Amino acid sequence: MTGPLHQVLAEVSAGTPTVAEIIRRTGLSDDVVRAALDHLVLSGRITSTKLSLGCPTTGCGTCPSAGGCALPAALGARRPGLVSLALTRPVA
Amino acid sequence: MSESTHPRVTGSVTPETSHPRSAARLAPAKSCCQTPSQVSAGPRAPVVAIVGAPNTGKSTLFNALTASRVTTGNWPGTTVEVSRGVWRATPPASPCTRGGCADGHEESTQDLTVLDLPGAYSLDAHSPDEHLTRELLQEGPVDERPDLCVVTVDASRLAHGLYLVAQVRELPLRVVVAMTMSDVALQRGVSIDSHALAEGLGCPVVTTDPRRRTGLDTLAAVVRTTLAAPVPAPRPTPDTDDALTRDDDRFTWLSAAAEQATVVPGHDRLTLSDKVDRWVTAPLLGPPVFLAVMWAVFQLTTTVATPLQDALDRLFSGPVTDTVMAGLTLVHLDGTWVEGLLVNGLVAGVGMLLTFVPLMALMFVLLALLEDSGYLARAAVVTDRLMRTIGLPGRAFLPLVVGFGCNVPAISATRILPDARQRLLTVLLVPFTSCSARLTVFVMLGTVFFGRNAGTAVFGMYVASVALIVLVGLLLRRTLWRTMGSEPLIIDLPAYHVPTLRLMALVVWQRVRGFLRTASGIIVITVSAVWLLQSVPAVAGQSFGHVGVEDSVYGVVARTVSPVFEPAGFNQWQTASALMVGFVAKEAVISSWAQTYATDQPQPGQSGLLGEHIQAAFQQSSGGHTLPAVLAFMVFLLAYTPCVATLAAQRREVGLRWTAFGVAVQLATAWLLAVAVFQVGRLFW
Amino acid sequence: MATGMDLRSAPLGEPLTLLRVDDPLLGQRLATLGLREGVSFRLLTHTVGGGRILLVDGSRIALGSDLVRRLRARAA
């Protein structure tokens, strides 16, 4: 039985590009996916790196963070920004 | 990690007295009915700890509960700040019946010692704050633990707050959840059913707004009731050492509780959108509504934009050309090839490009309007069945309908299709929709050759256009896209809403700018190239720029090409020349004839001398089978490449290779059909 | 295991529970729109060509006639 944490972790390790996409693919609620991501970052299973800010020249529609951003609120910032999430260690 | 928003009354607290139990022990025993002179509710008073993630209103709640009966200091042996106060817990308008005073007096107020523990997202001890919270709730001696734990949870980020609840519920503790920020959640369109949440969490949930001091009485009542009851059984946890599995168990539990409790307003109520949908997508009424909307789009793109296009056209052929000519006269270049290049090449090319701008802008506005208002999704539902026959989803109908006005914006409109292959197929089909520029040629030929039946002939062209789309669509699908399955229709219907003007303006501007940027080059270059070919003499004794079309390179090319059209019955070089110009723009077909036959362009509705020339030409080239030849010509005109602007738009959407493929398909289809029409037709006429 | 009824015969407006979708790929697509096995939903209206609009978890989803035939539900 895989719970939300395993599902979200699997999506991150599968390279699912955006939080919105993770939400779509897992069918979990936005709130739970974000909480799970925050938890995985805090417990050191994934790392979250803030990327340089700035809008893509092609407009907001193509911005990977258009569907919301992945920066864990628990890490201090609630402002939308682009972050890259990466696995700290392979999933057992 | 304490919250800065919290106006604290800071007293001097020694490490000794800051410990709640020691403080309580040191404090003089007194009845809870008296106002305490120190910040302790007395040794027998229950201890309530408030925990919660940072920014969940934890300290605001603490302040609201304790008023000014507060001391703040570092917890012994740590740098973590803990506030302690007295909460005079008064339940709403009912006498104290349970959890009353120790001496048994009927009392409506119970004093509780409240601890404001530092903000903690979990008990996982990632920070000194979390470490202390964990120590106090989990690892300390049982008799030192608080009697009850109030966990503040932000309703707008429910899952974030519930992780701590999950952990606290695993401990032998009385737990009450104080849910804050419900107003924020509501602004985001989410409301939390506190009863459902309480059921899921196995502990009471109270909605409070400490800033506005609402829900505090209810919290007091619930806390007192819970204190009077025995400690509930902790939440069972999986028997595992794997941290991830353990954490995941908490998430499974919390997401179930959150899902059960989250209510989207209007969730079960039928909205205005639902009522509209009952009509707009209905089996009988849906199609007429759709046709009416499409008719409006079609009318607007053609009728509203046409005067603007004409005005721009007049501006370029009039004042702009005059200005350029005057400039050339000043520098004594008038009458030279430079004049030809500038006036007939550049100015004409740029003019043609710009006449498309109002049309495109209007088209994009209408598109954005349909998309943003939510109607497009409904139109896709209505047309899905029909479009499915050629392997396209319902929304592909829109670009095709728009194409009957003008192919150029229609190509751009294919962007509403999410799937790249469907977009490509639609881009390849759009040129077969009979645009209004082709209509002018059809009308002229219709009046010249069909007289009273002109209307029927023109209508026939529209029918042929629809048939062509279906046939070519089926053909391409059966050959190139055999693997393209028809996906079942699943569309998330957004609620109807008034489109945002600013957003629409932005989108329209971006699209028009994009069109200008990519289409400008190809249009100006092609128009200039035609001028160049018409200016270069192919026979001796003529000079550059002063040559009749017949004697120019262009004329020679037309003469070379024209035999190709012999099986279709229109192998006159003038006709071939008109078709070559028609490659640039269909509007130019009639003017090309006028130029080659050296007559004036006829006024709309009258064929005049030009008509006679054309009639004679077709009669000669078809060997007497004039009508089949004209029909073949009209079919060719319908099916071959609409104009260079369409090509520019296609290149922008699907790239050069597919654009070239499209041109090949168009020319092949046009030629084959024209030949078929003539060969079959001449058997009858 | 497909019992219950297909959506063609399901009544409008009544609460329904979705049964298992046999095609895993389709099931995944539907799940992303909140249509998972066991979820409760209501049919709102008939659409052109035999489709339905259904209300699930606050969103309205239009389904084509082929899906209306394939999905099964029971009264909740």
Side-chain angles (χ1 to χ4, degrees), chain B residues 161-432:
Chain B
L162 291 185
Y163 186 77
L164 181 61
V165 177
Q167 286 186 307
V168 172
R169 282 283 292 112
E170 288 160 20
L171 306 173
L173 268 175
R174 296 183 188 88
V175 181
V176 171
V177 168
M179 198 163 58
T180 59
M181 320 260 180
S182 297
D183 50 340
V184 179
L186 215 54
Q187 279 168 15
R188 297 186 192 165
V190 176
S191 78
I192 310 293
D193 177 349
S194 59
H195 293 292
L197 188 60
E199 202 176 294
L201 300 177
C203 68
V205 175
V206 180
T207 308
T208 67
D209 186 347
R211 279 201 188 82
R212 298 192 181 85
R213 306 189 61 86
T214 58
L216 300 181
D217 292 348
T218 315
L219 184 63
V222 169
V223 163
R224 286 174 66 167
T225 312
T226 310
L227 277 171
V231 176
R235 190 178 77 82
T237 51
D239 185 22
T240 175
D241 286 337
D242 179 41
L244 185 64
T245 307
R246 207 188 48 225
D247 292 359
D248 204 11
D249 169 67
R250 291 175 183 140
F251 263 91
T252 307
W253 178 80
L254 75 85
S255 69
E259 193 171 325
Q260 183 186 328
T262 304
V263 185
V264 178
H267 186 117
D268 266 73
R269 246 195 355 245
L270 291 188
T271 59
L272 187 63
S273 282
D274 292 325
K275 283 173 197 149
V276 175
D277 280 342
R278 193 155 289 175
W279 297 98
V280 161
T281 62
L284 277 178
L285 208 63
V289 169
F290 167 76
L291 288 177
V293 171
M294 285 303 125
W295 181 83
V297 168
F298 181 53
Q299 278 295 97
L300 277 170
T301 42
T302 49
T303 56
V304 174
T306 307
L308 289 168
Q309 279 184 292
D310 289 348
L312 272 171
D313 195 29
R314 276 197 300 275
L315 181 73
F316 273 86
S317 56
V320 174
T321 304
D322 293 348
T323 311
V324 173
M325 297 279 263
L328 288 170
T329 313
L330 266 180
V331 293
H332 305 294
L333 280 171
D334 51 319
T336 65
W337 65 269
V338 179
E339 180 191 305
L341 174 66
L342 282 183
V343 174
N344 297 329
L346 285 180
V347 172
V350 172
M352 175 177 163
L353 176 72
L354 287 185
T355 54
F356 276 108
V357 169
L359 187 66
M360 297 294 280
L362 194 68
M363 183 56 232
F364 289 141
V365 166
L366 292 172
L367 257 186
L369 203 69
L370 286 179
E371 208 167 0
D372 213 22
S373 66
Y375 181 73
L376 202 62
R378 275 78 182 179
V381 172
V382 172
T383 53
D384 186 74
R385 198 82 185 266
L386 197 64
M387 296 309 292
R388 198 162 286 268
T389 52
I390 50 170
L392 287 174
R395 44 173 66 195
F397 211 97
L398 187 92
L400 293 177
V401 168
V402 168
F404 282 97
C406 177
N407 288 182
V408 182
I411 301 279
S412 301
T414 57
R415 288 191 188 184
I416 55 166
L417 296 172
D419 182 90
R421 281 201 300 183
Q422 293 170 343
R423 207 157 48 226
L424 178 55
L425 180 54
T426 317
V427 163
L428 292 178
L429 290 182
V430 162
F432 293 109

Side-chain angles (χ1 to χ4, degrees), chain B residues 16-286:
Chain B
E16 180 76 357
T17 53
S18 69
H19 192 290
R21 286 294 177 192
S22 343
R25 278 182 216 112
L26 289 173
K30 58 169 72 95
S31 157
C32 62
C33 314
Q34 294 167 277
T35 309
S37 56
Q38 293 180 5
V39 280
S40 163
R44 281 168 298 172
V47 175
V48 174
I50 306 182
V51 297
N55 301 315
T56 53
K58 184 175 58 65
S59 293
T60 318
L61 177 65
F62 174 79
N63 288 334
L65 295 178
T66 55
S68 59
R69 303 175 290 270
V70 173
T71 53
T72 300
N74 286 348
W75 195 259
T78 70
T79 54
V80 180
E81 206 174 55
V82 173
S83 300
R84 186 164 52 88
V86 175
W87 174 17
R88 311 209 68 203
T90 315
S94 68
C96 164
T97 50
R98 275 181 290 180
C101 296
D103 53 7
H105 285 285
E106 277 290 306
E107 183 54 59
S108 66
T109 299
Q110 181 184 19
D111 281 3
L112 307 169
T113 299
V114 195
L115 300 176
D116 178 18
L117 298 188
Y121 161 72
S122 69
L123 299 180
D124 294 339
H126 294 299
S127 67
D129 290 0
E130 287 189 356
H131 188 78
L132 174 68
T133 306
R134 166 164 141 164
E135 200 172 68
L136 201 84
L137 297 183
Q138 193 174 4
E139 291 170 353
V142 175
D143 64 329
E144 301 241 322
R145 291 184 194 162
D147 299 291
L148 186 143
C149 192
V150 171
V151 188
T152 53
V153 170
D154 177 347
S156 68
R157 305 174 75 237
L158 196 58
H160 282 84
L162 291 185
Y163 186 77
L164 181 61
V165 177
Q167 286 186 307
V168 172
R169 282 283 292 112
E170 288 160 20
L171 306 173
L173 268 175
R174 296 183 188 88
V175 181
V176 171
V177 168
M179 198 163 58
T180 59
M181 320 260 180
S182 297
D183 50 340
V184 179
L186 215 54
Q187 279 168 15
R188 297 186 192 165
V190 176
S191 78
I192 310 293
D193 177 349
S194 59
H195 293 292
L197 188 60
E199 202 176 294
L201 300 177
C203 68
V205 175
V206 180
T207 308
T208 67
D209 186 347
R211 279 201 188 82
R212 298 192 181 85
R213 306 189 61 86
T214 58
L216 300 181
D217 292 348
T218 315
L219 184 63
V222 169
V223 163
R224 286 174 66 167
T225 312
T226 310
L227 277 171
V231 176
R235 190 178 77 82
T237 51
D239 185 22
T240 175
D241 286 337
D242 179 41
L244 185 64
T245 307
R246 207 188 48 225
D247 292 359
D248 204 11
D249 169 67
R250 291 175 183 140
F251 263 91
T252 307
W253 178 80
L254 75 85
S255 69
E259 193 171 325
Q260 183 186 328
T262 304
V263 185
V264 178
H267 186 117
D268 266 73
R269 246 195 355 245
L270 291 188
T271 59
L272 187 63
S273 282
D274 292 325
K275 283 173 197 149
V276 175
D277 280 342
R278 193 155 289 175
W279 297 98
V280 161
T281 62
L284 277 178
L285 208 63

